[in-house]
Amino acid sequence: MSMLQCRTAPKGAVLVWAAALCLARPAVADDAAYRDALIVEADARKLASAPAWAHLLHVEPAAFGPDRSTVESRWFFVADDGATDPAAELRATLAAFFDPAPRAPRAESAQCQFGARFAWLDAQLGFDRQRLPRQPCAERDSWMSRLAPEQVWVVFPSAYVNSPASMFGHTLLRLDGPEVTAATPLLAYAANYVAETQESNGLLFAVKGLTGGYVGQYSLLPYYDKVKEYARLESRDLWEYPLTLDAAARERLLLHLWELRGAAFTYYFFTKNCSYQLLTLLRVADPGIDWHGQFSGWAIPTDTLRVLAPRLGPPKFRPALGTSIRAQGAALSTDDRQAAVALSSGAATVESRAAAPSAAVLTLANDLLQYRFAAGDVKREDGAARSLSLLRARAATGEKGGRATPAAPVIDPVQGHGTSRVAVGTQLRPDGTDSLQLEWRAAYHDLLDPPGGYGDGQSISFFDIGLRTRLANGATTLDHATVINIVSIAPRDVLFQPISWRFRAAHERPDLGLGRDPRITVLEGGPGLAWGRFDRVVGYGNLELRTEVGNARDQGYSLQAGPRLGLLARPLPGWTVLGEARWLPGGVGDHTNVRSLGVEQQWAIDRATGLRLGVQALWRDGAEARQLTLRLVRYF
């Protein structure tokens, strides 16, 4: 039938069809020859071994077996074994660039889907545009033109100790397009990497995050949404650092973001977390970014910021709503603060007050109302009407201003002390059982460390290991191995009434000086309350539960509960003093009463060095031990 149709078709149409067929056949052969030539050249130049190609594929050294990509999505690779064989992936990618057919699941050609790969290979091999034509990528081009960032910022939301995923802080990118000005940064977009989860159970969230139980993905969304999430809902201050990237680097950044759209990774809180993956994204944009294997064990957001420090400009400080409220309250009298609280809670109205409230009081009242609404403490229908009333009264005052602007901290997170720490010192006792001490802490910050760049009243220590050597006989033993020690001291006042808390898990072999050689495993913690100001003195108290298993107890275990009282003071810049008293009465498994009293202080010699001096007394029933410790602390 087809031959009949050819014979009956117009003679001119047959000639045109035949000519097109003849012209097409050499082109197909020529494309294959050029494709093969590109692959041969890429192999000869060992492009698959280039670091830039590994970075594009997110290939990293594996603890066991061959190096492999951290991307889990099968569609991200063209070759069947592309996740573990960069050479096979490079050959398959070059071949795919000649095929205009849409690829699943993104429904776009390889050229459009893998724009950063195409650009890099083009720069290395110099693609002939006649033999490898550029395919139209309308959707990607439209997306890139809408973003078109003229400035990229690295944004650091401060540490949030009440969330396992954010207790060390977080990093994301802010992309300022041409419509964004200094006065309108909320019009920008944010590029973010997070764990995809709706988990509300904090313990399960932490366990799954530690063990790789979540999928991590990059996302792009309005910057306003992230500011609302961090600065308003979680009350976390934001630090915004301008990042030096030229136009070519910004284009590579967008191309790689497009490649990663929807790609799944395995998320780990300590290693392959938001800040680490942000570095891997930026490394594609700027190949000069290199951390020399620094984050093979863990990646702390402030440490990743310091990797970028040579490319970061002076930061801008965006205070959280809670920070702004505290600054406003500090500028008012006690009576005015109490009036604002009453107005925000509905205990009083503007009309019920003998004297009209000032603009500052009304502004504070409305901000408090917004804060409590964001925390879920106020219903929408109640809060909306009350807020409208406050705003109308505020406008009626005719006063300008009314909101105190919090001053930016003198030290930003990049300038803070290093998150790892080593300490060497001595422990002296009246009975002559003196020892040398060596301590190493993987991360991150405790109450005596210099507070600049870190949150006040927050202590988070992971993997803190201490050794001691007896001076009398040279015997070296483990003193402690702390897995985690978290302390949150949150002072209460008329504006806020937070709950303080602490938790610690450790294995200890403490030198009690009481004629024992204990080996114990400890879990302890509990809620508490605190009052005061961190620039002066903060007093706190906790009711703690302590579980202990080991040979220090007659029955091998104990369960005790008792109070801990403390004072944290900063008498002078660079000098921090911490005093604590504790009582654990006899409980389940053991009837020993334990009391302790100690004072420790640190002088900051410089950003990386401190000197600690402490005295402690311990009573276990009728026995008493006293000691003095002196340690030189070094941060890195």
PDB file of all heavy atoms in Angstrom, residues 422-453:
ATOM      1  N   VAL A 422      40.127  21.306  72.750  1.00  0.00           N
ATOM      2  CA  VAL A 422      41.023  20.436  73.497  1.00  0.00           C
ATOM      3  C   VAL A 422      41.457  21.190  74.742  1.00  0.00           C
ATOM      4  O   VAL A 422      41.623  22.416  74.717  1.00  0.00           O
ATOM      5  CB  VAL A 422      42.238  20.009  72.644  1.00  0.00           C
ATOM      6  CG1 VAL A 422      43.103  21.204  72.267  1.00  0.00           C
ATOM      7  CG2 VAL A 422      43.067  18.956  73.368  1.00  0.00           C
ATOM      8  N   ALA A 423      41.595  20.475  75.861  1.00  0.00           N
ATOM      9  CA  ALA A 423      41.983  21.099  77.121  1.00  0.00           C
ATOM     10  C   ALA A 423      43.019  20.220  77.807  1.00  0.00           C
ATOM     11  O   ALA A 423      42.918  18.984  77.790  1.00  0.00           O
ATOM     12  CB  ALA A 423      40.778  21.297  78.032  1.00  0.00           C
ATOM     13  N   VAL A 424      44.010  20.850  78.392  1.00  0.00           N
ATOM     14  CA  VAL A 424      45.030  20.136  79.154  1.00  0.00           C
ATOM     15  C   VAL A 424      45.206  20.857  80.484  1.00  0.00           C
ATOM     16  O   VAL A 424      45.171  22.096  80.541  1.00  0.00           O
ATOM     17  CB  VAL A 424      46.364  20.065  78.382  1.00  0.00           C
ATOM     18  CG1 VAL A 424      46.911  21.448  78.076  1.00  0.00           C
ATOM     19  CG2 VAL A 424      47.386  19.236  79.141  1.00  0.00           C
ATOM     20  N   GLY A 425      45.343  20.092  81.561  1.00  0.00           N
ATOM     21  CA  GLY A 425      45.453  20.741  82.857  1.00  0.00           C
ATOM     22  C   GLY A 425      45.803  19.769  83.947  1.00  0.00           C
ATOM     23  O   GLY A 425      46.237  18.631  83.706  1.00  0.00           O
ATOM     24  N   THR A 426      45.581  20.203  85.183  1.00  0.00           N
ATOM     25  CA  THR A 426      45.922  19.401  86.345  1.00  0.00           C
ATOM     26  C   THR A 426      44.797  19.446  87.359  1.00  0.00           C
ATOM     27  O   THR A 426      44.024  20.411  87.419  1.00  0.00           O
ATOM     28  CB  THR A 426      47.229  19.911  86.988  1.00  0.00           C
ATOM     29  OG1 THR A 426      47.589  19.073  88.066  1.00  0.00           O
ATOM     30  CG2 THR A 426      47.064  21.340  87.492  1.00  0.00           C
ATOM     31  N   GLN A 427      44.718  18.374  88.149  1.00  0.00           N
ATOM     32  CA  GLN A 427      43.744  18.273  89.227  1.00  0.00           C
ATOM     33  C   GLN A 427      44.520  18.043  90.525  1.00  0.00           C
ATOM     34  O   GLN A 427      45.298  17.082  90.634  1.00  0.00           O
ATOM     35  CB  GLN A 427      42.793  17.107  88.956  1.00  0.00           C
ATOM     36  CG  GLN A 427      41.694  16.930  89.982  1.00  0.00           C
ATOM     37  CD  GLN A 427      40.842  15.712  89.663  1.00  0.00           C
ATOM     38  OE1 GLN A 427      41.195  14.582  90.005  1.00  0.00           O
ATOM     39  NE2 GLN A 427      39.724  15.934  88.984  1.00  0.00           N
ATOM     40  N   LEU A 428      44.328  18.921  91.489  1.00  0.00           N
ATOM     41  CA  LEU A 428      45.080  18.866  92.746  1.00  0.00           C
ATOM     42  C   LEU A 428      44.140  18.560  93.898  1.00  0.00           C
ATOM     43  O   LEU A 428      43.012  19.080  93.949  1.00  0.00           O
ATOM     44  CB  LEU A 428      45.785  20.204  92.990  1.00  0.00           C
ATOM     45  CG  LEU A 428      46.701  20.707  91.864  1.00  0.00           C
ATOM     46  CD1 LEU A 428      47.266  22.072  92.207  1.00  0.00           C
ATOM     47  CD2 LEU A 428      47.825  19.708  91.599  1.00  0.00           C
ATOM     48  N   ARG A 429      44.609  17.683  94.845  1.00  0.00           N
ATOM     49  CA  ARG A 429      43.795  17.293  95.986  1.00  0.00           C
ATOM     50  C   ARG A 429      44.610  17.399  97.270  1.00  0.00           C
ATOM     51  O   ARG A 429      45.837  17.222  97.263  1.00  0.00           O
ATOM     52  CB  ARG A 429      43.323  15.847  95.816  1.00  0.00           C
ATOM     53  CG  ARG A 429      42.226  15.687  94.770  1.00  0.00           C
ATOM     54  CD  ARG A 429      41.338  14.522  95.188  1.00  0.00           C
ATOM     55  NE  ARG A 429      40.166  14.451  94.351  1.00  0.00           N
ATOM     56  CZ  ARG A 429      39.980  13.545  93.390  1.00  0.00           C
ATOM     57  NH1 ARG A 429      40.912  12.642  93.157  1.00  0.00           N
ATOM     58  NH2 ARG A 429      38.871  13.539  92.687  1.00  0.00           N
ATOM     59  N   PRO A 430      43.935  17.662  98.402  1.00  0.00           N
ATOM     60  CA  PRO A 430      44.652  17.745  99.671  1.00  0.00           C
ATOM     61  C   PRO A 430      45.363  16.453 100.064  1.00  0.00           C
ATOM     62  O   PRO A 430      46.383  16.475 100.750  1.00  0.00           O
ATOM     63  CB  PRO A 430      43.541  18.075 100.684  1.00  0.00           C
ATOM     64  CG  PRO A 430      42.456  18.703  99.878  1.00  0.00           C
ATOM     65  CD  PRO A 430      42.522  18.023  98.550  1.00  0.00           C
ATOM     66  N   ASP A 431      44.847  15.292  99.609  1.00  0.00           N
ATOM     67  CA  ASP A 431      45.462  14.014  99.987  1.00  0.00           C
ATOM     68  C   ASP A 431      46.643  13.633  99.101  1.00  0.00           C
ATOM     69  O   ASP A 431      47.219  12.551  99.252  1.00  0.00           O
ATOM     70  CB  ASP A 431      44.419  12.900  99.978  1.00  0.00           C
ATOM     71  CG  ASP A 431      43.807  12.688  98.597  1.00  0.00           C
ATOM     72  OD1 ASP A 431      44.234  13.356  97.637  1.00  0.00           O
ATOM     73  OD2 ASP A 431      42.889  11.845  98.471  1.00  0.00           O
ATOM     74  N   GLY A 432      46.988  14.503  98.132  1.00  0.00           N
ATOM     75  CA  GLY A 432      48.141  14.244  97.282  1.00  0.00           C
ATOM     76  C   GLY A 432      47.884  13.366  96.086  1.00  0.00           C
ATOM     77  O   GLY A 432      48.813  13.064  95.326  1.00  0.00           O
ATOM     78  N   THR A 433      46.636  12.956  95.841  1.00  0.00           N
ATOM     79  CA  THR A 433      46.326  12.125  94.669  1.00  0.00           C
ATOM     80  C   THR A 433      46.095  13.024  93.454  1.00  0.00           C
ATOM     81  O   THR A 433      45.009  13.072  92.884  1.00  0.00           O
ATOM     82  CB  THR A 433      45.076  11.260  94.943  1.00  0.00           C
ATOM     83  OG1 THR A 433      43.995  12.137  95.302  1.00  0.00           O
ATOM     84  CG2 THR A 433      45.346  10.272  96.060  1.00  0.00           C
ATOM     85  N   ASP A 434      47.162  13.741  93.064  1.00  0.00           N
ATOM     86  CA  ASP A 434      47.065  14.698  91.970  1.00  0.00           C
ATOM     87  C   ASP A 434      47.155  13.981  90.623  1.00  0.00           C
ATOM     88  O   ASP A 434      47.700  12.865  90.513  1.00  0.00           O
ATOM     89  CB  ASP A 434      48.185  15.737  92.084  1.00  0.00           C
ATOM     90  CG  ASP A 434      48.172  16.455  93.432  1.00  0.00           C
ATOM     91  OD1 ASP A 434      47.096  16.504  94.047  1.00  0.00           O
ATOM     92  OD2 ASP A 434      49.238  16.945  93.849  1.00  0.00           O
ATOM     93  N   SER A 435      46.642  14.637  89.588  1.00  0.00           N
ATOM     94  CA  SER A 435      46.660  14.023  88.263  1.00  0.00           C
ATOM     95  C   SER A 435      46.720  15.087  87.180  1.00  0.00           C
ATOM     96  O   SER A 435      46.377  16.256  87.405  1.00  0.00           O
ATOM     97  CB  SER A 435      45.416  13.146  88.058  1.00  0.00           C
ATOM     98  OG  SER A 435      44.240  13.931  88.140  1.00  0.00           O
ATOM     99  N   LEU A 436      47.168  14.667  86.006  1.00  0.00           N
ATOM    100  CA  LEU A 436      47.105  15.483  84.796  1.00  0.00           C
ATOM    101  C   LEU A 436      45.848  15.102  84.033  1.00  0.00           C
ATOM    102  O   LEU A 436      45.432  13.934  84.047  1.00  0.00           O
ATOM    103  CB  LEU A 436      48.337  15.263  83.924  1.00  0.00           C
ATOM    104  CG  LEU A 436      49.688  15.680  84.511  1.00  0.00           C
ATOM    105  CD1 LEU A 436      50.814  15.326  83.536  1.00  0.00           C
ATOM    106  CD2 LEU A 436      49.708  17.168  84.816  1.00  0.00           C
ATOM    107  N   GLN A 437      45.264  16.064  83.321  1.00  0.00           N
ATOM    108  CA  GLN A 437      44.029  15.814  82.589  1.00  0.00           C
ATOM    109  C   GLN A 437      44.167  16.251  81.139  1.00  0.00           C
ATOM    110  O   GLN A 437      44.789  17.283  80.839  1.00  0.00           O
ATOM    111  CB  GLN A 437      42.861  16.573  83.228  1.00  0.00           C
ATOM    112  CG  GLN A 437      42.486  16.085  84.608  1.00  0.00           C
ATOM    113  CD  GLN A 437      41.279  16.818  85.164  1.00  0.00           C
ATOM    114  OE1 GLN A 437      41.167  18.038  85.038  1.00  0.00           O
ATOM    115  NE2 GLN A 437      40.363  16.079  85.775  1.00  0.00           N
ATOM    116  N   LEU A 438      43.595  15.468  80.252  1.00  0.00           N
ATOM    117  CA  LEU A 438      43.533  15.786  78.825  1.00  0.00           C
ATOM    118  C   LEU A 438      42.106  15.549  78.361  1.00  0.00           C
ATOM    119  O   LEU A 438      41.538  14.485  78.613  1.00  0.00           O
ATOM    120  CB  LEU A 438      44.494  14.913  78.024  1.00  0.00           C
ATOM    121  CG  LEU A 438      44.476  15.105  76.501  1.00  0.00           C
ATOM    122  CD1 LEU A 438      44.944  16.519  76.138  1.00  0.00           C
ATOM    123  CD2 LEU A 438      45.336  14.063  75.809  1.00  0.00           C
ATOM    124  N   GLU A 439      41.532  16.548  77.698  1.00  0.00           N
ATOM    125  CA  GLU A 439      40.130  16.458  77.275  1.00  0.00           C
ATOM    126  C   GLU A 439      40.001  16.898  75.830  1.00  0.00           C
ATOM    127  O   GLU A 439      40.647  17.862  75.401  1.00  0.00           O
ATOM    128  CB  GLU A 439      39.258  17.330  78.175  1.00  0.00           C
ATOM    129  CG  GLU A 439      37.779  17.309  77.839  1.00  0.00           C
ATOM    130  CD  GLU A 439      36.983  18.273  78.700  1.00  0.00           C
ATOM    131  OE1 GLU A 439      36.619  17.903  79.823  1.00  0.00           O
ATOM    132  OE2 GLU A 439      36.765  19.415  78.240  1.00  0.00           O
ATOM    133  N   TRP A 440      39.166  16.182  75.078  1.00  0.00           N
ATOM    134  CA  TRP A 440      38.854  16.550  73.690  1.00  0.00           C
ATOM    135  C   TRP A 440      37.342  16.537  73.519  1.00  0.00           C
ATOM    136  O   TRP A 440      36.668  15.598  73.946  1.00  0.00           O
ATOM    137  CB  TRP A 440      39.482  15.567  72.716  1.00  0.00           C
ATOM    138  CG  TRP A 440      39.028  15.763  71.296  1.00  0.00           C
ATOM    139  CD1 TRP A 440      39.464  16.698  70.404  1.00  0.00           C
ATOM    140  CD2 TRP A 440      38.042  14.980  70.593  1.00  0.00           C
ATOM    141  NE1 TRP A 440      38.815  16.552  69.196  1.00  0.00           N
ATOM    142  CE2 TRP A 440      37.942  15.511  69.290  1.00  0.00           C
ATOM    143  CE3 TRP A 440      37.247  13.887  70.950  1.00  0.00           C
ATOM    144  CZ2 TRP A 440      37.078  14.981  68.342  1.00  0.00           C
ATOM    145  CZ3 TRP A 440      36.374  13.361  70.001  1.00  0.00           C
ATOM    146  CH2 TRP A 440      36.297  13.912  68.721  1.00  0.00           C
ATOM    147  N   ARG A 441      36.827  17.616  72.925  1.00  0.00           N
ATOM    148  CA  ARG A 441      35.390  17.723  72.648  1.00  0.00           C
ATOM    149  C   ARG A 441      35.182  17.951  71.162  1.00  0.00           C
ATOM    150  O   ARG A 441      35.746  18.874  70.578  1.00  0.00           O
ATOM    151  CB  ARG A 441      34.781  18.894  73.429  1.00  0.00           C
ATOM    152  CG  ARG A 441      33.259  19.009  73.260  1.00  0.00           C
ATOM    153  CD  ARG A 441      32.735  20.303  73.862  1.00  0.00           C
ATOM    154  NE  ARG A 441      33.150  21.473  73.084  1.00  0.00           N
ATOM    155  CZ  ARG A 441      33.037  22.725  73.483  1.00  0.00           C
ATOM    156  NH1 ARG A 441      32.548  22.984  74.668  1.00  0.00           N
ATOM    157  NH2 ARG A 441      33.433  23.731  72.703  1.00  0.00           N
ATOM    158  N   ALA A 442      34.365  17.103  70.550  1.00  0.00           N
ATOM    159  CA  ALA A 442      34.105  17.238  69.118  1.00  0.00           C
ATOM    160  C   ALA A 442      33.327  18.521  68.825  1.00  0.00           C
ATOM    161  O   ALA A 442      33.647  19.262  67.893  1.00  0.00           O
ATOM    162  CB  ALA A 442      33.336  16.023  68.607  1.00  0.00           C
ATOM    163  N   ALA A 443      32.291  18.778  69.582  1.00  0.00           N
ATOM    164  CA  ALA A 443      31.437  19.956  69.374  1.00  0.00           C
ATOM    165  C   ALA A 443      30.622  20.170  70.649  1.00  0.00           C
ATOM    166  O   ALA A 443      30.370  19.222  71.391  1.00  0.00           O
ATOM    167  CB  ALA A 443      30.514  19.730  68.160  1.00  0.00           C
ATOM    168  N   TYR A 444      30.238  21.417  71.109  1.00  0.00           N
ATOM    169  CA  TYR A 444      30.126  22.544  70.210  1.00  0.00           C
ATOM    170  C   TYR A 444      30.331  23.814  71.018  1.00  0.00           C
ATOM    171  O   TYR A 444      31.064  24.683  70.634  1.00  0.00           O
ATOM    172  CB  TYR A 444      28.754  22.420  69.536  1.00  0.00           C
ATOM    173  CG  TYR A 444      28.008  23.593  69.076  1.00  0.00           C
ATOM    174  CD1 TYR A 444      28.305  24.182  67.840  1.00  0.00           C
ATOM    175  CD2 TYR A 444      26.990  24.120  69.814  1.00  0.00           C
ATOM    176  CE1 TYR A 444      27.563  25.250  67.378  1.00  0.00           C
ATOM    177  CE2 TYR A 444      26.257  25.188  69.344  1.00  0.00           C
ATOM    178  CZ  TYR A 444      26.540  25.756  68.132  1.00  0.00           C
ATOM    179  OH  TYR A 444      25.823  26.806  67.668  1.00  0.00           O
ATOM    180  N   HIS A 445      29.666  23.855  72.242  1.00  0.00           N
ATOM    181  CA  HIS A 445      29.725  25.065  73.069  1.00  0.00           C
ATOM    182  C   HIS A 445      29.154  24.752  74.443  1.00  0.00           C
ATOM    183  O   HIS A 445      28.138  24.052  74.550  1.00  0.00           O
ATOM    184  CB  HIS A 445      28.888  26.175  72.413  1.00  0.00           C
ATOM    185  CG  HIS A 445      28.802  27.443  73.212  1.00  0.00           C
ATOM    186  ND1 HIS A 445      29.827  28.349  73.289  1.00  0.00           N
ATOM    187  CD2 HIS A 445      27.799  27.951  73.989  1.00  0.00           C
ATOM    188  CE1 HIS A 445      29.461  29.365  74.067  1.00  0.00           C
ATOM    189  NE2 HIS A 445      28.242  29.146  74.500  1.00  0.00           N
ATOM    190  N   ASP A 446      29.827  25.255  75.513  1.00  0.00           N
ATOM    191  CA  ASP A 446      29.247  25.095  76.847  1.00  0.00           C
ATOM    192  C   ASP A 446      29.116  26.450  77.528  1.00  0.00           C
ATOM    193  O   ASP A 446      29.470  27.490  76.953  1.00  0.00           O
ATOM    194  CB  ASP A 446      30.032  24.087  77.693  1.00  0.00           C
ATOM    195  CG  ASP A 446      31.416  24.563  78.094  1.00  0.00           C
ATOM    196  OD1 ASP A 446      31.650  25.789  78.170  1.00  0.00           O
ATOM    197  OD2 ASP A 446      32.286  23.714  78.349  1.00  0.00           O
ATOM    198  N   LEU A 447      28.611  26.443  78.752  1.00  0.00           N
ATOM    199  CA  LEU A 447      28.247  27.692  79.416  1.00  0.00           C
ATOM    200  C   LEU A 447      29.456  28.565  79.748  1.00  0.00           C
ATOM    201  O   LEU A 447      29.305  29.787  79.911  1.00  0.00           O
ATOM    202  CB  LEU A 447      27.467  27.398  80.700  1.00  0.00           C
ATOM    203  CG  LEU A 447      26.108  26.724  80.509  1.00  0.00           C
ATOM    204  CD1 LEU A 447      25.482  26.416  81.859  1.00  0.00           C
ATOM    205  CD2 LEU A 447      25.168  27.587  79.670  1.00  0.00           C
ATOM    206  N   LEU A 448      30.647  27.981  79.862  1.00  0.00           N
ATOM    207  CA  LEU A 448      31.837  28.763  80.166  1.00  0.00           C
ATOM    208  C   LEU A 448      32.591  29.210  78.928  1.00  0.00           C
ATOM    209  O   LEU A 448      33.479  30.062  79.011  1.00  0.00           O
ATOM    210  CB  LEU A 448      32.778  27.958  81.073  1.00  0.00           C
ATOM    211  CG  LEU A 448      32.341  27.828  82.545  1.00  0.00           C
ATOM    212  CD1 LEU A 448      33.283  26.894  83.281  1.00  0.00           C
ATOM    213  CD2 LEU A 448      32.298  29.187  83.227  1.00  0.00           C
ATOM    214  N   ASP A 449      32.273  28.650  77.788  1.00  0.00           N
ATOM    215  CA  ASP A 449      32.914  29.087  76.544  1.00  0.00           C
ATOM    216  C   ASP A 449      32.521  30.530  76.240  1.00  0.00           C
ATOM    217  O   ASP A 449      31.426  30.978  76.613  1.00  0.00           O
ATOM    218  CB  ASP A 449      32.491  28.186  75.378  1.00  0.00           C
ATOM    219  CG  ASP A 449      33.076  26.788  75.473  1.00  0.00           C
ATOM    220  OD1 ASP A 449      34.150  26.641  76.088  1.00  0.00           O
ATOM    221  OD2 ASP A 449      32.450  25.845  74.942  1.00  0.00           O
ATOM    222  N   PRO A 450      33.368  31.280  75.532  1.00  0.00           N
ATOM    223  CA  PRO A 450      33.005  32.659  75.165  1.00  0.00           C
ATOM    224  C   PRO A 450      31.684  32.689  74.411  1.00  0.00           C
ATOM    225  O   PRO A 450      31.509  31.946  73.437  1.00  0.00           O
ATOM    226  CB  PRO A 450      34.173  33.110  74.281  1.00  0.00           C
ATOM    227  CG  PRO A 450      35.316  32.261  74.707  1.00  0.00           C
ATOM    228  CD  PRO A 450      34.725  30.931  75.080  1.00  0.00           C
ATOM    229  N   PRO A 451      30.729  33.519  74.834  1.00  0.00           N
ATOM    230  CA  PRO A 451      29.384  33.463  74.252  1.00  0.00           C
ATOM    231  C   PRO A 451      29.257  34.100  72.874  1.00  0.00           C
ATOM    232  O   PRO A 451      28.260  33.869  72.182  1.00  0.00           O
ATOM    233  CB  PRO A 451      28.538  34.222  75.274  1.00  0.00           C
ATOM    234  CG  PRO A 451      29.494  35.178  75.917  1.00  0.00           C
ATOM    235  CD  PRO A 451      30.821  34.475  75.959  1.00  0.00           C
ATOM    236  N   GLY A 452      30.218  34.928  72.465  1.00  0.00           N
ATOM    237  CA  GLY A 452      30.095  35.631  71.196  1.00  0.00           C
ATOM    238  C   GLY A 452      29.894  34.693  70.023  1.00  0.00           C
ATOM    239  O   GLY A 452      30.671  33.759  69.807  1.00  0.00           O
ATOM    240  N   GLY A 453      28.839  34.938  69.225  1.00  0.00           N
ATOM    241  CA  GLY A 453      28.530  34.102  68.071  1.00  0.00           C
ATOM    242  C   GLY A 453      27.673  32.904  68.392  1.00  0.00           C
ATOM    243  O   GLY A 453      27.262  32.168  67.488  1.00  0.00           O
TER     244      GLY A 453
END
